[in-house]
Amino acid sequence: MSCLDLTNKVYPESISSPSGIDHFDTLPDSILLLIFNKISDVKALGRCVGVSRRFQSLVLQVESIVVRVDCVISDDDPSSISGSADKSRNTFSTLFRLLFGGVIRPIQSLGQLLSNKRSISCSSSTLSADGDDDSSDLDDGVVMHHSPTQVLKNFIDIRSLKIELPSGELGIENGVLLKWRATFGSTLDTCVILGASSVIHPNPDKQSSSEDDDNINEDDHNGGSIPESFYTNGGLKLRVVWTISSLIAASARHYLLQPIINEHKTLEKVVLSDGDDQGVVTMNKEQLEELRVKPLCASSASKRTVVPALNMRLWYSPFVKMSDGTVLKGATLVAIRPSVQSSSSAGEASSSDVSWVLSAFNEPYGSATKVLVKKRTYCLEMNSF
């Protein structure tokens, strides 16, 4: 039995094209740029840079970039070591290590390829950016680390930037729900926090718990008032901790974005999130321009933006059933604005005043906010810190 010659089927172009033309090279730059913008992931773009000089030139012109930070290196800062006993402080220092500590090899390769220098130093070592030396670095297990600021420095036309951390930096107990979304200009504009002491997921094999439904109905009859036990069993104190922790995490992320925003004047949208989708910081075009014109006020005690004096509106319900059937126990919604901004918009209608709250979270959490804002509103104030 004779063997079939499949060469022409596997490589039809290379055989049938006598001139050996690579038809991919005939694509116009505009099409390649469209492809690179769809890729967006900075690691994949880093690999594209190494393909050819043409690719390298075009990659630097992409408008949409996603940077996923997924490697944490040790922090040799004595101040962070001394504070390791404090769990909350340690989690916030972890955020700084995540962004400035380093990212894994694909981003490192991009930093090497885009560097204007032939060599880049890391700690006490100097690694060559040449392709041949690069492979030997991998064999030796030597890893060079770059912050997102370094990785992005040679991109010339970034319009949309998303940076994703590996996980939420706030240490919370298992079963606790804590989500927040903050917007910033030169300082905090708005922040919405959704929390729950526990989450009951629907069981498809069982019918809805009649006990939970009775509790939800009883809460409706009570007009959404906070029970007395909420103040005595530590419930209110826990919500205050959630609020302060979320604000500190948000202001720390805002602080870390400043050098990127100042360096890339073309930015129109920035999102800094995490793999758990616990917290999100967003900035639009107007807010980005405000930060460039009016520099942020940094805290002298830590690497974060100063949180201004705040007005807060709090809604609470012992039980909230979301659109997917999940039940939040001890559900709390906190809407936060700076005191100055709140007073200047005091004349706005109440319906428009909560529109930014209702749009903070996607489903199914959006359904929880819609339920909570119908409950009784509690107003709180917080000093700048």
Side-chain angles (χ1 to χ4, degrees), residues 123-330:
S123 299
S124 59
S125 303
T126 300
L127 304 181
S128 172
D130 295 335
D132 294 338
D133 292 339
D134 184 71
S135 60
S136 63
D137 294 339
L138 285 173
D139 295 337
D140 295 338
V142 180
V143 178
M144 186 187 304
H145 302 284
H146 295 274
S147 72
T149 305
Q150 293 172 308
V151 171
L152 298 170
K153 66 179 180 180
N154 285 345
F155 287 92
I156 60 177
D157 197 26
I158 307 177
R159 307 284 176 174
S160 174
L161 172 64
K162 179 179 180 181
I163 300 176
E164 182 180 297
L165 306 178
S167 61
E169 68 272 17
L170 300 182
I172 56 176
E173 297 179 1
N174 291 335
V176 173
L177 171 73
L178 181 59
K179 299 179 72 67
W180 56 267
R181 187 178 185 91
T183 63
F184 282 85
S186 60
T187 186
L188 180 70
D189 279 350
T190 64
C191 183
V192 182
I193 302 169
L194 176 64
S197 56
S198 63
V199 180
I200 304 175
H201 296 284
N203 189 339
D205 298 330
K206 295 182 179 180
Q207 294 182 349
S208 176
S209 172
S210 58
E211 180 180 354
D212 289 340
D213 291 339
D214 292 341
N215 288 327
I216 294 173
N217 294 330
E218 182 181 356
D219 176 49
D220 291 335
H221 292 314
N222 292 336
S225 299
I226 295 180
E228 186 66 28
S229 59
F230 182 79
Y231 303 98
T232 58
N233 65 5
L236 178 59
K237 180 180 179 181
L238 178 61
R239 270 66 179 183
V240 171
V241 171
W242 288 351
T243 300
I244 295 176
S245 300
S246 299
L247 288 170
I248 291 177
S251 62
R253 295 188 186 187
H254 180 236
Y255 178 89
L256 295 173
L257 286 173
Q258 184 188 21
I260 297 176
I261 295 169
N262 289 336
E263 185 170 337
H264 298 277
K265 308 297 184 182
T266 57
L267 276 171
E268 298 178 355
K269 179 182 179 182
V270 173
V271 177
L272 179 50
S273 63
D274 54 72
D276 293 339
D277 198 26
Q278 182 185 81
V280 181
V281 168
T282 64
M283 299 182 70
N284 59 30
K285 185 176 181 179
E286 292 74 18
Q287 292 166 332
L288 291 166
E289 187 59 33
E290 177 188 333
L291 177 58
R292 296 188 187 104
V293 174
K294 183 181 178 182
L296 59 81
C297 179
S299 171
S300 59
S302 57
K303 294 181 179 180
R304 64 175 178 84
T305 306
V306 171
V307 178
L310 304 171
N311 283 342
M312 300 185 293
R313 301 174 66 183
L314 183 146
W315 298 271
Y316 173 82
S317 178
F319 293 88
V320 169
K321 192 171 186 178
M322 297 194 296
S323 58
D324 65 348
T326 302
V327 175
L328 304 181
K329 297 184 66 175

Side-chain angles (χ1 to χ4, degrees), residues 3-127:
C3 285
L4 295 176
D5 185 4
L6 302 178
T7 305
N8 290 337
K9 294 184 178 181
V10 177
Y11 305 105
E13 293 295 335
S14 61
I15 299 301
S16 61
S17 178
S19 60
I21 297 176
D22 185 349
H23 293 287
F24 197 85
D25 287 339
T26 63
L27 290 176
D29 289 353
S30 58
I31 298 297
L32 289 179
L33 268 175
L34 181 62
I35 295 173
F36 290 145
N37 276 299
K38 292 293 184 181
I39 292 174
S40 71
D41 181 73
V42 76
K43 301 176 189 177
L45 292 175
R47 299 184 181 101
C48 293
V49 165
V51 173
S52 66
R53 290 185 178 180
R54 183 190 182 202
F55 274 28
Q56 179 175 348
S57 174
L58 292 174
V59 164
L60 296 180
Q61 302 176 44
V62 299
E63 298 181 354
S64 178
I65 296 180
V66 177
V67 180
R68 292 183 173 88
V69 181
D70 43 13
C71 178
V72 182
I73 65 171
S74 61
D75 190 347
D76 296 327
D77 185 358
S79 61
S80 64
I81 297 176
S82 63
S84 59
D86 187 339
K87 182 178 180 181
S88 62
R89 184 178 302 173
N90 188 51
T91 55
F92 297 138
S93 66
T94 299
L95 172 63
F96 305 141
R97 295 199 299 273
L98 287 170
L99 282 183
F100 288 103
V103 288
I104 64 172
R105 189 69 192 184
I107 299 183
Q108 169 200 328
S109 300
L110 179 61
Q112 292 178 336
L113 289 166
L114 301 185
S115 175
N116 293 324
K117 301 180 180 180
R118 296 298 295 171
S119 62
I120 307 172
S121 61
C122 177
S123 299
S124 59
S125 303
T126 300
L127 304 181

